[in-house]
Amino acid sequence: MSKTFQKLKAIRGMNDILPAESFKWQQLEAQITQLLSLYGYSNIRTPILESTRLFARGIGEVTDIVEKEMYTFSMSPDKQNIDDMLTMRPEFTAGIVRAAIEHNITYDRPQRLYTMGPVFRHERPQKGRYRQFHQLSVEALGFSGADTDAELIIMLKRLWQQLGLEDIRLELNSLGQPEERLAHRAALIAYFEQHKEQLDEDAQRRLYSNPLRILDTKNPNMQTLANQAPKLFDFLGQASKAHFAEVCRRLEQAGISYTLNPRLVRGLDYYNLTVFEWVTDRLGAQGTVCGGGRYDGLCELLGGKATPAAGFGLGLERLLALLEQKESEQLNSECDVYFVHQGQAASELAAQLAEQCRDQGVRAIVHAGTSSFKSQFKRADQSGAQWAAILGESEVNEGSISLKPLRADKNGNISSQLSVPQAQLVTTLTEHLA
Ligand code: ATP
Ligand code: MG
């Protein structure tokens, strides 16, 4: 044994999860499993390797994933026939639908299914973007109604709340039905053909293969062009519009706010009607935590009988990154409540009330000196405090104090602004901070 073994490293873009971290994974997986059981979802597990045809068909031939991100190989290198090719799943939906057809599990009733595990995409590794990453995939097979679309979204909102996550917003769109998309596609191609000189290389390539995806461009020079393009929404028929309106109505009933994003098209081409993404600004460019929608045509496309369905995929690495950020913010906060005040009387009162807070273990900072409310609030925000306690002239005269929430509480809820008698300040704060 003269030669020493050359040390190896994990494959680029594929991460080890060591014990200190895997503890957090287990915690998160347990919370997710518990939430899904509240909505009647059952676990399904499918193989990592599937026949390439499943994705080359299921996902469509022209999406980024199929075009350039799949780990595909053949066990008999002399045969490069697509029927001999295997692919490491780049997502779960196609595999789950394949399994549902193979075992005919929706023959007597619809199925609510979920799974968690690694998926593989050969894209450029960076923060929040890996080559092996993990998804929670939730699939409601055999459900055609807007009630299901809305319930999936409401369930996700509950997850953010349980995890104490704020700053995740919902974007919504409808892709209509294939015929409606076809009419829009023709209009889109005609529009882009008229402005061919403004298309970048990616857009040129997609012009005839997947023009819808051009709308999703990140190129700043193409934003105006994309914004002014014909809107798919204007091509939707009555039934598609009604479906979408019901999703929106149900979300409003559940108190969930959303933004309509006509340019939201998703990276997988089997979607129809509702599509949605949950997005955050806290993760830089990799801000999409979860994406999903309705895929009524997929089952038939994969050789099964027509089965309406909806679902979503959620990136667990990105969710964990958000949780970590929140944790470090909480640890780094300088105080629980930051007093802002105006005038001599208010300043003295703030000092006294802050002492009462500290008596009860509530960490308090009183803004030192005098400055405008605006700059005091800026400091309050920087302190990491949960609340700003405001003493202006009217509060001093009324014997009250205003409490403005600066961030969400542990459960992800942001309270409304309160006004309480000064004598009740400490108990109000301790109740809300508990
Ligand atoms: P993106 O626009 O970020 O590439 P996508 O549209 O390709 O996302 P989906 O196919 O919808 O993503 O997958 C669902 C979720 O999986 C995403 O919302 C994201 O949270 C996560 N995800 C996707 N690709 C990666 C990756 N390479 N590394 C880590 N997480 C990922
Ligand atoms: Mg992608």
Side-chain angles (χ1 to χ4, degrees):
M1 290 293 260
S2 59
K3 214 170 163 201
T4 50
F5 186 74
Q6 197 193 339
K7 267 195 236 158
L8 292 174
K9 287 187 164 174
I11 309 294
R12 191 165 123 82
M14 307 205 175
N15 301 314
D16 296 310
I17 300 170
L18 302 175
E21 247 185 291
S22 84
F23 169 73
K24 292 182 192 155
W25 282 81
Q26 286 177 316
Q27 251 186 351
L28 177 62
E29 285 157 2
Q31 275 172 299
I32 289 174
T33 307
Q34 210 244 335
L35 174 76
L36 283 156
S37 80
L38 292 179
Y39 285 82
Y41 279 79
S42 310
N43 186 232
I44 181 168
R45 302 179 190 214
T46 60
I48 286 173
L49 274 182
E50 296 273 3
S51 168
T52 299
R53 279 206 301 114
L54 175 65
F55 305 110
R57 257 197 204 155
I59 302 182
E61 326 263 337
V62 285
T63 63
D64 278 357
I65 296 177
V66 174
E67 208 173 33
K68 49 185 191 201
E69 295 176 0
M70 295 208 305
Y71 280 88
T72 294
F73 57 91
S74 166
M75 289 303 285
S76 35
D78 47 325
K79 285 195 243 154
Q80 290 294 327
N81 190 326
I82 188 155
D83 288 317
D84 300 311
M85 306 297 279
L86 303 174
T87 293
M88 316 263 282
R89 62 183 180 209
E91 56 114 29
F92 279 106
T93 309
I96 290 175
V97 171
R98 193 251 332 121
I101 297 168
E102 187 170 334
H103 306 284
N104 198 17
I105 59 175
T106 54
Y107 78 97
D108 63 341
R109 65 196 169 101
Q111 292 278 344
R112 293 182 174 84
L113 305 170
Y114 78 93
T115 197
M116 280 187 269
V119 295
F120 303 83
R121 294 184 196 174
H122 193 268
E123 40 187 343
R124 192 170 70 78
Q126 51 196 294
K127 194 163 172 290
R129 194 174 289 289
Y130 310 101
R131 289 179 169 177
Q132 171 172 329
F133 63 100
H134 297 75
Q135 278 188 351
L136 159 68
S137 192
V138 172
E139 318 293 345
L141 304 182
F143 298 91
S144 60
D147 49 351
T148 298
D149 308 12
E151 193 185 79
L152 287 167
I153 294 171
I154 291 167
M155 181 164 81
L156 283 159
K157 174 71 179 186
R158 187 188 284 271
L159 179 62
W160 316 144
Q161 276 175 343
Q162 282 188 359
L163 296 173
L165 293 176
E166 48 194 290
D167 297 340
I168 309 186
R169 60 175 192 277
L170 176 63
E171 301 206 342
L172 210 58
N173 191 19
S174 174
L175 297 183
Q177 299 294 8
E179 325 76 79
E180 295 156 356
R181 266 210 306 284
L182 222 55
H184 171 250
R185 187 179 194 273
L188 208 54
I189 291 177
Y191 169 81
F192 284 129
E193 273 175 341
Q194 273 171 20
H195 301 91
K196 220 165 182 170
E197 72 292 343
Q198 292 179 48
L199 297 181
D200 63 14
E201 207 180 299
D202 258 358
Q204 301 250 4
R205 187 168 45 83
R206 287 169 171 157
L207 180 54
Y208 301 102
S209 60
N210 195 352
L212 202 60
R213 191 76 171 140
I214 301 179
L215 298 179
D216 206 20
T217 178
K218 307 250 156 41
N219 183 347
N221 299 328
M222 283 181 46
Q223 295 307 312
T224 321
L225 187 68
N227 277 328
Q228 290 170 0
K231 304 256 182 306
L232 173 53
F233 210 82
D234 296 329
F235 289 75
L236 299 192
Q238 220 33 58
S240 295
K241 281 189 174 148
H243 185 100
F244 192 62
E246 187 176 346
V247 175
C248 294
R249 196 167 55 245
R250 282 175 180 262
L251 292 179
E252 280 151 29
Q253 276 166 6
I256 296 180
S257 45
Y258 54 84
T259 319
L260 298 178
N261 178 359
R263 287 172 53 184
L264 178 67
V265 297
R266 312 275 306 114
L268 305 163
D269 76 347
Y270 46 62
Y271 287 103
N272 68 313
L273 295 175
T274 320
V275 287
F276 63 87
E277 283 187 353
W278 285 96
V279 188
T280 177
D281 295 323
R282 290 173 162 256
L283 295 178
Q286 270 55 255
T288 308
V289 180
C290 173
R294 178 156 284 286
Y295 50 92
D296 294 330
L298 182 61
C299 199
E300 220 174 350
L301 199 70
L302 295 177
K305 59 177 191 296
T307 308
F312 62 79
L314 182 159
L316 293 176
E317 278 82 358
R318 293 185 192 176
L319 193 55
L320 280 161
L322 276 180
L323 288 171
E324 206 153 283
Q325 228 179 59
K326 186 192 70 160
E327 215 167 85
S328 76
E329 268 170 23
Q330 271 169 358
L331 284 177
N332 291 332
S333 74
E334 293 162 6
C335 62
D336 302 313
V337 57
Y338 193 102
F339 285 80
V340 303
H341 49 83
Q342 206 84 96
Q344 184 64 28
S347 161
E348 288 170 15
L349 198 53
Q352 289 165 17
L353 290 169
E355 284 300 316
Q356 292 175 16
C357 288
R358 294 164 188 142
D359 287 342
Q360 299 306 316
V362 175
R363 300 174 307 150
I365 290 179
V366 182
H367 188 83
T370 49
S371 42
S372 69
F373 264 136
K374 188 165 173 242
S375 66
Q376 293 192 52
F377 273 115
K378 194 168 164 213
R379 280 291 180 78
D381 201 42
Q382 288 169 336
S383 74
Q386 189 107 16
W387 294 95
I390 308 158
L391 286 167
E393 206 181 327
S394 59
E395 280 90 353
V396 172
N397 292 338
E398 287 166 13
S400 70
I401 186 161
S402 301
L403 284 171
K404 180 177 190 267
L406 298 177
R407 43 188 46 75
D409 63 20
K410 283 204 297 291
N411 301 317
N413 299 315
I414 300 187
S415 333
S416 43
Q417 179 152 339
L418 308 171
S419 174
V420 296
Q422 285 160 13
Q424 279 171 30
L425 171 67
V426 183
T427 42
T428 309
L429 283 174
T430 43
E431 263 169 35
H432 277 86
L433 293 166

